[in-house]
């Protein structure tokens, strides 16, 4: 008997890893560039801490916007734009048949409840 082991990493672990790894590189890089720009223009002597704070704030805003866009479910499916009658026709090869069967099963369950 063959045994299989699932070594896949959960999605949330990958998101957190990317958040910290990519975010750390991005934030420190932007903060260093802002510090060099401010010092180069002669606006301040040591502007790394305010630059770091600004970079962290900007990164958190970008992450919040990304999270809000990826978690919204209000009709954002590509199937919303396709009429039901085209599931088994033009869109059959791209999963239309399975989509039609799923929607038919949901309708049957809803009709059974009433």
């Amino acid at each position: 008997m063959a045994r299989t082991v699932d070594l896949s990493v959960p999605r949330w672990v990958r998101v957190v890893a990317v958040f910290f790894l990519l975010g750390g590189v991005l934030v420190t890089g932007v903060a260093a560039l802002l510090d060099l720009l401010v010092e180069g223009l002669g606006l301040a002597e040591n502007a790394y801490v305010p630059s770091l704070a600004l970079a962290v704030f900007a990164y958190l805003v970008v992450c919040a916007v990304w999270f809000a866009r990826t978690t919204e479910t209000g009709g954002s499916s590509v199937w919303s734009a396709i009429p039901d009658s085209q599931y088994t026709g033009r869109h059959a090869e791209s999963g239309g048949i399975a989509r039609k069967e799923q929607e038919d099963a949901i309708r049957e369950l809803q009709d059974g409840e009433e």
Side-chain angles (χ1 to χ4, degrees):
M1 176 173 11
R3 294 184 183 198
T4 60
V5 177
D6 184 20
L7 297 176
S8 61
V9 178
R11 184 177 187 274
W12 70 269
V13 172
R14 291 182 301 210
V15 169
V16 168
V18 168
F19 177 78
F20 284 111
L21 294 176
L22 186 62
V25 170
L26 183 72
V27 165
T28 55
V30 168
L33 289 175
L34 281 174
D35 184 42
L36 288 173
L37 179 69
V38 169
E39 285 184 11
L41 294 175
L43 299 175
E45 284 287 320
N46 187 7
Y48 187 73
V49 173
S51 298
L52 183 63
L54 181 63
V56 166
F57 177 74
Y59 182 67
L60 290 176
V61 168
V62 167
C63 288
V65 169
W66 171 80
F67 182 76
R69 286 189 177 183
T70 57
T71 56
E72 68 184 24
T73 58
S76 61
S77 172
V78 295
W79 292 103
S80 300
I82 299 172
D84 295 351
S85 61
Q86 292 184 2
Y87 285 166
T88 57
R90 180 181 302 166
H91 301 283
E93 292 181 3
S94 61
I97 295 172
R99 179 69 180 202
K100 182 181 183 321
E101 290 173 354
Q102 291 169 355
E103 288 188 1
D104 289 345
I106 291 172
R107 279 191 208 106
E108 285 179 19
L109 287 172
Q110 289 173 344
D111 290 342
E113 290 176 355
E114 294 173 353

